Amino acid sequence: MPGRTLPTILQADVESRNTSKSCYVTRGTKVYDITPFLDDHPGGGDLIVEYGGKDITEIMGDEISHTHSEAAYEVLDDHLIGFMPSEPIIETATESQHPTNILPLPPNKVGMEELKAKGAAKGVSMKPVYTTTGLSSAEDLSVETDPHSDYRTHKFLDLNRPLLMQVWNGGFSKEFYLEQVHRPRHYKGGESAPLFGNFLEPLSKTAWWVVPMVWLPPVSYGTFLAFQGLPNIFQLAAYWITGLCIWTLVEYGLHRGLFHVDKYLPDNRVGVTAHFLLHGIHHYLPMDKLRLVMPPTLFVVLAAPFWKLAHTVFFYNWYAATGVYCGGIFGYICYDLTHYFLHHRTLPSYYRELKKYHLQHHFADYENGFGVTSRFWDRVFGTELAPPKAAKAA
């Protein structure tokens, strides 16, 4: 299922949400459900309910009444639930020959030009906001999170405290955990938020260069051993490339079937914590430079069964099986380096498209787009990401 964007909400519905049980406010075309925030508002919830169902742009900017900090606007953005077309927007759509360019909001480029021509574009953004992540684009992944405001709003994790024990002791339901862990945060410009908070902390961090430094030597040695028992270099290359190709399927299978086993995740703290350690923390803090590639200790655990599998499938020749395995491990090295560079480097044209594709998996639709080094298996298994919503057809 493609990433779903926030809906268009009718003005009548917004205006009816003006009580402490259900309180919506607007800023321009954006609609916010601030019901959960009423009890936390420093001035009391009654002050907000007074503006329930109304636009709060002026009152939030009124320095005489009260100056609102940037954190207040961040709290508001966390409660964004949809968009409300104003009367001029509805009238423009009604008169348009192509109303779907304008509604549902956000409009595409053609629709935006129509709105501007009619003077109805004030407060309208062309950026979609994705329901599951609360983000609009890859750039949003690098917008710094205010830890205090985020914790007060979502009641999930405090980024300034060790995360692991918060997950373990949080008592989160699976549904709430998955909803929150897939809403990306960004900690102090890309630094690593504390995970263990003790002597184990360094084990959770791995620089990208550790991957080739640790694994290229054994891959080279294994390839050399395999060559000793094979008739010629062409057979070695055939087995080695076979392993490399098999890795691409393993990469897809691990990402989809293990890292994103969300639907089948046990609804208890063991399952939730295991998910967080294995892959959840990457979706929660996707731009953390030191938690992008796999720590060598974890990779040993995941790779060991594949040594046995390779020698079971290619039982007839130990050297052939070793060549296949080494090709597969080289594929893993390429995968981890590609993953890091997609998040943190400017790349050649092919990889720029791959970068857009992978970051879309983070900001728009984590339920599709499991290929990292290519889209091939996504196409085969029907999980290829649809183009971003901003490309709404004219």
Side-chain angles (χ1 to χ4, degrees), residues 41-71:
H41 185 247
D46 291 343
L47 286 177
I48 299 182
V49 173
E50 184 181 340
Y51 292 91
K54 302 174 184 177
D55 191 290
I56 58 171
T57 304
E58 288 189 17
I59 190 62
M60 286 197 73
D62 186 354
E63 294 184 6
I64 297 176
S65 171
H66 175 64
T67 302
H68 286 83
S69 66
E70 195 171 313

Side-chain angles (χ1 to χ4, degrees), residues 90-388:
I90 294 174
E91 289 176 10
T92 304
T94 303
E95 296 171 3
S96 174
Q97 292 184 342
H98 301 285
T100 55
N101 289 340
I102 300 171
L103 294 175
L105 295 175
N108 64 17
K109 288 182 180 180
V110 176
M112 192 65 171
E113 290 302 318
E114 287 192 62
L115 290 174
K116 286 179 179 178
K118 294 287 187 177
K122 184 179 180 180
V124 179
S125 171
M126 289 175 57
K127 284 186 175 183
V129 177
Y130 291 92
T131 306
T132 54
T133 65
L135 304 185
S136 298
S137 65
E139 289 75 18
D140 292 342
L141 295 170
S142 297
V143 175
E144 190 165 320
T145 302
D146 180 327
H148 177 70
S149 171
D150 181 68
Y151 181 66
R152 186 176 63 181
T153 301
H154 296 287
K155 308 294 191 296
F156 184 46
L157 303 178
D158 182 348
L159 287 167
N160 286 325
R161 293 166 46 218
L163 302 176
L164 179 62
M165 295 313 295
Q166 291 185 72
V167 176
W168 179 258
N169 294 320
F172 307 126
S173 68
K174 178 177 81 169
E175 181 182 6
F176 176 75
Y177 162 77
L178 290 174
E179 174 190 316
Q180 288 298 319
V181 86
H182 288 115
R183 292 179 69 89
R185 275 73 163 182
H186 188 57
Y187 185 68
K188 293 184 178 179
E191 291 184 24
S192 297
L195 180 60
F196 296 105
N198 56 31
F199 67 94
L200 293 173
E201 195 71 27
L203 296 178
S204 72
K205 301 175 183 179
T206 308
W208 69 267
W209 47 264
V210 170
V211 173
M213 186 180 76
V214 170
W215 298 117
L216 277 179
V219 165
S220 300
Y221 180 65
T223 302
F224 171 76
L225 287 181
F227 184 49
Q228 304 308 301
L230 293 172
N232 53 62
I233 197 169
F234 299 107
Q235 269 203 32
L236 172 65
Y239 283 119
W240 204 86
I241 292 172
T242 298
L244 186 61
C245 293
I246 291 172
W247 163 257
T248 64
L249 180 58
V250 171
E251 171 197 315
Y252 177 89
L254 286 174
H255 195 185
R256 183 181 182 182
L258 180 62
F259 299 164
H260 281 276
V261 68
D262 303 357
K263 187 186 296 185
Y264 305 102
L265 190 67
D267 194 358
N268 56 52
R269 66 180 183 178
V270 174
V272 163
T273 305
H275 181 278
F276 187 75
L277 285 174
L278 192 61
H279 196 60
I281 191 172
H282 174 54
H283 273 264
Y284 188 59
L285 295 161
M287 304 308 284
D288 182 339
K289 293 181 179 181
L290 296 178
R291 293 196 177 110
L292 261 172
V293 300
M294 201 175 295
T297 47
L298 177 59
F299 182 66
V300 166
V301 173
L302 293 177
F306 288 99
W307 170 264
K308 183 68 175 176
L309 179 62
H311 284 79
T312 300
V313 174
F314 298 90
F315 62 91
Y316 56 86
N317 190 322
W318 186 93
Y319 298 98
T322 301
V324 169
Y325 187 75
C326 288
I329 300 301
F330 183 77
Y332 155 72
I333 296 169
C334 294
Y335 153 78
D336 239 354
L337 295 182
T338 299
H339 191 203
Y340 180 87
F341 294 146
L342 292 182
H343 278 259
H344 290 292
R345 290 289 188 272
T346 301
L347 301 164
S349 57
Y350 167 76
Y351 286 99
R352 280 200 297 272
E353 291 304 309
L354 203 56
K355 177 174 185 147
K356 291 178 186 176
Y357 183 77
H358 178 65
L359 294 184
Q360 189 183 339
H361 169 74
H362 281 282
F363 76 77
D365 184 6
Y366 65 86
E367 296 178 306
N368 289 293
F370 302 108
V372 174
T373 53
S374 83
R375 305 183 189 197
F376 178 78
W377 294 110
D378 277 321
R379 288 170 177 159
V380 170
F381 292 109
T383 55
E384 186 174 16
L385 287 166

